[in-house]
C-alpha cells in the first residue's frame, strides 16, 4: 500500500516540532544562567535592626519585662521609659514604623502607634507618633521624643 498522506501534512508536522523545540530551547536559555544577587545595604540592615529593637521593647513593655527593656536601652533611654510607665492591668500596643533616618552614629525611627490600656475595668485608647533615638552597636534606645507610648494610661 502506498502512503496516502499528502506531503503538506508532513511538512506542517515538521514545522510544529521545530517550533516547539525552539520555544523550549529559548525558555531554558532564559531561565538558566547565574543571576547576580544584590547585596543588602548597610542602611537597610540598620533599619531592620531598628525595627526589631522597637518591636522587642514593645513586647517587653506589654509583658512588664523590665530586664529586657534595660538590656535594650541606654541609661537615659531606660529612664525615659521607666519614669513614664503607669500601672495597667492589661494593654495592647501596636507599632507601625514609618520612617528611619540615619545620621552618622544616630538612628531616628518614627513610629506610629495605637494602644489600649485597661485599669480596673476602665479602658483608655490612645494613638500617636513617637521618635525613637537609637545609638551604638548593637543599637540601643537612648531617647523617646514626641508622643511616648509608654506613658499611658493617663487618668
Amino acid at each position: 500500500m502506498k502512503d496516502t498522506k499528502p506531503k503538506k501534512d508532513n511538512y506542517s508536522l515538521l514545522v510544529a516540532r521545530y517550533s516547539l523545540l525552539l520555544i523550549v530551547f529559548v525558555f531554558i536559555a532564559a531561565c538558566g544562567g547565574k543571576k547576580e544577587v544584590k547585596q543588602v545595604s548597610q542602611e537597610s540592615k540598620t533599619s531592620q535592626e531598628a525595627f526589631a529593637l522597637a518591636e522587642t521593647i514593645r513586647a517587653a513593655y506589654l509583658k512588664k519585662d523590665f530586664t529586657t527593656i534595660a538590656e535594650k536601652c541606654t541609661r537615659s533611654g531606660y529612664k525615659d521609659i521607666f519614669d513614664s510607665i503607669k500601672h495597667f492591668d492589661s494593654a495592647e500596643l501596636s507599632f507601625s514604623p514609618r520612617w528611619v533616618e540615619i545620621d552618622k552614629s544616630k538612628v531616628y525611627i518614627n513610629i506610629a502607634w495605637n494602644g489600649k490600656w485597661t485599669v480596673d475595668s476602665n479602658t483608655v485608647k490612645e494613638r500617636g507618633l513617637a521618635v525613637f533615638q537609637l545609638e551604638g552597636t548593637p543599637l540601643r534606645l537612648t531617647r523617646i521624643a514626641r508622643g511616648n507610648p509608654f506613658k499611658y494610661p493617663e487618668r
Side-chain angles (χ1 to χ4, degrees):
M1 249 189 152
K2 265 190 162 182
D3 189 16
T4 57
K5 291 184 182 178
K7 289 189 177 205
K8 190 173 183 181
D9 283 339
N10 286 338
Y11 180 74
S12 296
L13 186 60
L14 187 62
V15 169
R17 284 183 183 169
Y18 280 124
S19 298
L20 182 62
L21 218 89
L22 180 64
I23 290 171
V24 169
F25 177 73
V26 169
F27 180 74
I28 290 172
C31 292
K34 292 184 180 180
K35 293 185 180 181
E36 186 176 326
V37 177
K38 290 185 180 181
Q39 297 296 320
V40 177
S41 69
Q42 185 59 41
E43 290 84 10
S44 178
K45 289 178 184 177
T46 301
S47 297
Q48 290 172 354
E49 183 182 354
F51 295 155
L53 177 64
E55 185 60 29
T56 300
I57 292 171
R58 182 198 67 80
Y61 166 76
L62 293 175
K63 294 178 188 172
K64 299 179 183 181
D65 180 2
F66 299 112
T67 304
T68 300
I69 293 173
E71 290 172 358
K72 301 298 179 182
C73 299
T74 62
R75 195 175 297 238
S76 63
Y78 182 75
K79 188 175 181 337
D80 272 359
I81 294 173
F82 190 76
D83 288 349
S84 62
I85 288 179
K86 308 287 189 298
H87 169 73
F88 60 87
D89 296 326
S90 67
E92 296 174 17
L93 183 62
S94 63
F95 284 175
S96 298
R98 296 291 183 208
W99 188 261
V100 175
E101 291 181 37
I102 301 172
D103 182 30
K104 297 178 185 174
S105 65
K106 295 181 181 177
V107 178
Y108 301 93
I109 180 172
N110 295 345
I111 298 174
W113 56 266
N114 285 305
K116 185 167 89 173
W117 292 264
T118 304
V119 180
D120 300 328
S121 73
N122 295 326
T123 301
V124 176
K125 291 182 181 181
E126 287 291 337
R127 63 187 174 130
L129 178 71
V131 179
F132 286 15
Q133 180 180 327
L134 314 172
E135 290 183 37
T137 304
L139 290 176
R140 293 174 59 188
L141 178 75
T142 57
R143 187 171 151 245
I144 300 175
R146 296 193 186 171
N148 185 343
F150 306 114
K151 72 177 187 174
Y152 294 94
E154 290 184 325
R155 290 185 179 183

